[in-house]
């Protein structure tokens, strides 16, 4: 994003819907009034509705519903996360772009956002439905100075940031389903994909991908997903400005990340457990050729699941397992 244009929208936002004269903007930005006008026209292309009144100046009367590099950085209150931002109208996968940028030296906190993904993917390379204009599809590049074995904690941290954002912004109460999903009312709302490039004792970079269903209606989802997936719109009956959700999420994630780096994982783990899906409830675990009933107790610091077997009270630490989270209807 043009730095002067970023300064311009910052100045306009500070006036809180009041007019600011072209001369004041010209002086503040150290550009001509003609250049100010040209920047206004570029903002209008992004969907901002700008009112210009003789002898009063300019004001923004409506923010755009669509997302773009400009709308995402308008009012972004982070110190470093998302300040370097790449936006694509359409791409195969934000993860792919983020890996390319990271390998080219992209700075810590760089973010990639797309309006549409053609080959969005989740854990185990499962496809992720990522249609244009409906959801949030983004990837973040982090370069944490932590040991590689602690990288799974970043997935748990991201899940907490998503839940806290949706509680505060959308007033809904989602839950975190181990290892990397966000659920609401037993349906999937979001997924997290964490990928790492590292050496034995040093992380080069971590890419954290997020797919969040925002304004999907039920019939927008593929038929196979309509009974197992949801969206913020389905849950609230409202359309939501995706740029605002992204901005608030980046603020939440930056704060949690900085706490994690400075003070460790204890608080993040506590918040994760407070929002965990099916915590304290019975689940069915399939490991190797055995299926058994267990009570979900929590997680380890390394992200492993802790489950107590119902039959013998033995505790298990699970790094990977197939889990039935609730009974099928024909078993009820």
């Amino acid at each position: 994003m043009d730095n002067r244009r970023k300064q311009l929208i910052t100045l306009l936002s500070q006036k809180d819907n009041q007019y600011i004269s072209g001369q004041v903007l010209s002086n503040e930005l150290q550009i001509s009034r003609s250049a100010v006008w040209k920047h206004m026209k570029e903002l209008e292309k992004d969907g901002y509705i700008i009112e210009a009144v003789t002898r009063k100046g300019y004001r923004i009367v409506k923010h755009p519903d669509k997302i773009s590099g400009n709308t995402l950085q308008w009012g972004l209150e982070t110190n470093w996360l998302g300040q370097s931002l790449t936006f694509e109208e359409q791409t195969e996968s934000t993860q792919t772009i983020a890996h390319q940028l990271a390998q080219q030296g992209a700075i810590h906190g760089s973010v990639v956002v797309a309006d549409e993904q053609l080959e969005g993917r989740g854990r185990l390379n499962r496809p992720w439905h990522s249609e244009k204009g409906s959801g949030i599809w983004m990837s973040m590049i982090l370069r944490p100075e932590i040991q590689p074995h602690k990288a799974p904690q970043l997935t748990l941290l991201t899940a907490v940031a998503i839940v806290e954002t949706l509680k505060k912004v959308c007033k809904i109460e989602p839950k975190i389903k181990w290892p990397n999903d966000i659920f609401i009312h037993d349906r999937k709302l979001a997924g997290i994909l964490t990928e790492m490039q590292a050496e034995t004792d040093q992380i080069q970079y971590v890419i954290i991908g997020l797919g969040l269903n925002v304004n999907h209606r039920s019939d927008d989802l593929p038929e196979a997903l309509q009974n197992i997936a949801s969206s913020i719109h389905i849950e609230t009956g409202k359309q939501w400005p995706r740029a605002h959700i992204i901005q608030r999420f980046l603020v939440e994630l930056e704060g949690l990340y900085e706490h994690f780096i400075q003070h460790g994982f204890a608080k993040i783990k506590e918040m994760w457990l407070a929002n965990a899906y099916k915590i304290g409830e019975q689940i069915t675990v399939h490991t190797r050729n055995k299926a058994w009933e267990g009570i979900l107790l929590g997680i380890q610091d390394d992200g492993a699941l802790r489950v107590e077997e119902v039959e013998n009270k033995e505790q298990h630490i699970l790094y990977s397992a197939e889990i039935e989270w609730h009974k099928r209807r024909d078993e009820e």
Side-chain angles (χ1 to χ4, degrees), residues 6 72-73 75-86 107-113 138-143 154 157-158 161-162 165 206-208 210 245-258:
K6 184 176 180 180
L72 291 170
Q73 291 195 312
L76 180 59
E77 297 175 354
T78 58
N79 293 317
W80 49 268
L81 185 56
Q83 293 299 323
S84 174
L85 188 142
T86 298
I107 62 172
H108 172 71
S110 298
V111 172
V112 180
V113 179
M138 61 188 296
S139 298
M140 294 149 286
I141 302 170
L142 301 177
R143 298 186 185 274
L154 295 173
L157 184 156
T158 303
I162 297 168
T165 299
V206 175
I207 306 292
I208 301 179
L210 165 62
I245 294 173
I246 291 171
Q247 289 173 339
R248 299 316 304 165
F249 165 69
L250 291 175
V251 169
E252 196 74 38
L253 182 61
E254 182 179 87
L256 290 172
Y257 179 90
E258 290 179 348

Side-chain angles (χ1 to χ4, degrees), residues 77-122:
E77 297 175 354
T78 58
N79 293 317
W80 49 268
L81 185 56
Q83 293 299 323
S84 174
L85 188 142
T86 298
F87 173 76
E88 299 287 343
E89 290 279 354
Q90 183 186 80
T91 187
E92 291 184 359
S93 165
T94 60
Q95 288 290 99
T96 300
I97 294 177
H99 275 288
Q100 293 170 350
L101 292 174
Q103 290 163 9
Q104 293 166 8
I107 62 172
H108 172 71
S110 298
V111 172
V112 180
V113 179
D115 198 27
E116 180 182 20
Q117 289 186 122
L118 300 178
E119 297 182 13
R121 55 190 169 89

